[in-house]
Amino acid sequence: MSQPTAAPAEMAAISFADLTLLLQQIFERHGTSSDVAKVLAYNCASAQRDGSHSHGVFRIAGYLSSLASGWVNGQAVPKVEDAASGFVRVDAGGGFAQPALAAARSLLIEKARSAGIAVLAIRNSHHFAALWPDVEPFADEGLVALSVVNSMTCVVPHGAQRPLFGTNPIAFAAPRAGGEPIVFDLATSAIAHGDVQIAARKGELLPEGMGVDSQGQPTRDPKAILGGGALLPFGGHKGSALSMMVELLAAALTGGNFSFEFDWTQHPGAQTPWTGQLIIVIDPSKAGGAGFASRSEELVRHMREVGLQRMPGDRRFQERATSLAQGIALPAAELARLRELAG
Ligand code: NDP
Ligand code: PYC
């Protein structure tokens, strides 16, 4: 006998500008300042537009429960410090990382252009989003950018028995002549925590090798991973080393918390990791020689020539083009819920 299949959800479409405005209203109505709301709304709408589903409107519930719990300061005003010729520090004041980046961005670019390289160290910050929106705009301005952020303990270091690291993504962006910039953004865990939540919600099994249950046994059940189990790093000892590097750069170097250092148990509903973020920006024009963007393009051409069909970022740029042309597709019930939240 065949299994009954769920009816496909009725879909609706909304423009990028309208979704951004709607999300801005939601954030403001739930306790953020207008400045913070603008930055978070643009970030979250961009993720939805580009098909970054684990960090688009799916995250709104987590943002709002974190704000309501008092765990994150939606009104925080970042303090930018000019630390050295190539170093900017920001204390995010227990608020979100993206407004801290926005506040420091022009100083960071000025330093990168004058010194050739500059570092932005954000501490005392919450990052609950995709990382590519933090680096891609630098590439649009001809700069190379690399960012790391740590999150919350849920990944077992390779060879260990218990979780310690966060899902700790790394994002990179570089300009490319005659095309979209080269951008990748990847969790150093075998799968992002957000995707495990989405699989659990849909009742789907994960591929092999993503995580373990509460007894440390391999499992494909996302609910077992979320309910006392843990994730594994991608690529065994190699992903584990990168995750360790992220803890060092995003937390030890910035003055932020390691993924295991904060305790949110007194704030039921808290979901936003209270950690740190590092961004390194390089001005490739200082390297001399052939233009960097032309060399990037040359590399991409050679990759295509050996048979590469899909560059990292290709799917996202394609989704962006479709969303901008046809509107961002969302289940109608989800859009109605967002409108309710916006009041
Ligand atoms: P994916 O594994 O989906 O993708 C990682 C990268 O690989 C992307 O740049 C993607 O490009 C590219 N890619 C995917 N498949 C292919 C392929 N077949 N060929 C070439 N390139 C490919 O991402 P993750 O699940 O690791 O991470 C998802 C998101 O979660 C990220 O945005 C990350 O920043 C976020 N995250 C945030 C955390 C936080 O603390 N704030 C913690 C952990 C994750 P494309 O985009 O075009 O698909
Ligand atoms: O998807 O792993 C994740 C994540 C952690 C914090 C924000 N996103």
Side-chain angles (χ1 to χ4, degrees):
M1 211 168 74
S2 63
Q3 295 290 319
T5 48
E10 190 195 330
M11 299 299 285
I14 181 167
S15 72
F16 176 60
D18 285 349
L19 180 60
T20 306
L21 194 60
L22 185 62
L23 298 180
Q24 195 182 317
Q25 288 163 347
I26 293 174
F27 281 120
E28 266 193 79
R29 191 158 182 248
H30 290 81
T32 76
S33 66
S34 153
D35 284 351
V36 168
K38 275 188 196 131
V39 173
L40 293 185
Y42 186 81
N43 177 292
C44 187
S46 302
Q48 193 67 35
R49 175 200 64 199
D50 281 21
S52 295
H53 295 293
S54 59
H55 291 80
V57 299
F58 166 71
R59 291 280 166 182
I60 290 297
Y63 275 112
L64 301 192
S65 65
S66 298
L67 284 162
S69 75
W71 169 245
V72 59
N73 181 2
Q75 304 277 333
V77 177
K79 286 199 192 77
V80 179
E81 300 163 87
D82 186 340
S85 58
F87 210 110
V88 184
R89 284 193 302 250
V90 193
D91 180 344
F96 291 101
Q98 292 81 6
L101 166 57
R105 196 169 185 279
S106 58
L107 180 59
L108 178 66
I109 291 181
E110 189 187 309
K111 285 183 181 296
R113 291 212 191 278
S114 77
I117 184 165
V119 168
L120 174 64
I122 302 173
R123 66 184 185 281
N124 195 9
S125 52
H126 295 243
H127 200 295
F128 200 50
L131 200 51
W132 62 262
D134 299 357
V135 291
E136 192 178 297
F138 290 107
D140 291 335
E141 296 193 42
L143 300 165
V144 176
L146 179 75
S147 184
V148 291
V149 61
N150 60 316
S151 64
M152 65 286 175
T153 289
C154 60
V155 176
V156 185
H158 181 75
Q161 266 70 52
R162 290 185 305 282
L164 186 79
F165 296 155
T167 43
N168 298 1
I170 302 174
F172 172 81
R176 170 186 159 201
E180 300 285 8
I182 297 175
V183 184
F184 72 77
D185 173 16
L186 47 90
T188 51
S189 48
I191 184 169
H193 197 265
D195 282 322
V196 182
Q197 294 174 51
I198 289 173
R201 189 180 283 190
K202 289 183 176 168
E204 290 173 355
L205 287 179
L206 301 175
E208 300 282 357
M210 307 280 113
V212 292
D213 64 18
S214 58
Q215 304 305 308
Q217 295 305 309
T219 181
R220 294 181 59 202
D221 179 358
K223 290 185 182 147
I225 291 173
L226 298 173
L231 294 172
L232 298 172
F234 84 85
H237 62 284
K238 300 186 186 189
S240 194
L242 290 174
S243 191
M244 175 182 70
M245 177 193 78
V246 174
E247 294 287 343
L248 289 170
L249 294 180
L253 196 77
T254 64
N257 288 320
F258 287 124
S259 298
F260 58 85
E261 262 179 335
F262 57 86
D263 176 7
W264 49 16
T265 53
Q266 299 310 305
H267 294 266
Q271 292 188 36
T272 55
W274 178 34
T275 56
Q277 178 179 10
L278 191 83
I279 303 179
I280 301 170
V281 177
I282 302 168
D283 179 359
S285 72
K286 297 291 189 290
F292 177 85
S294 306
R295 292 288 284 159
S296 300
E297 179 60 21
E298 198 179 331
L299 176 65
V300 174
R301 186 166 49 76
H302 278 84
M303 290 162 76
R304 299 272 190 216
E305 276 173 16
V306 295
L308 187 89
Q309 300 291 318
R310 178 205 197 294
M311 284 281 293
D314 278 356
R315 179 200 58 86
R316 224 168 31 74
F317 291 127
Q318 182 55 55
E319 295 244 13
R320 182 182 301 179
T322 306
S323 293
L324 293 178
Q326 300 172 8
I328 300 171
L330 275 177
E334 194 159 5
L335 188 52
R337 171 82 186 125
L338 292 176
R339 292 200 163 114
E340 243 172 62
L341 286 170

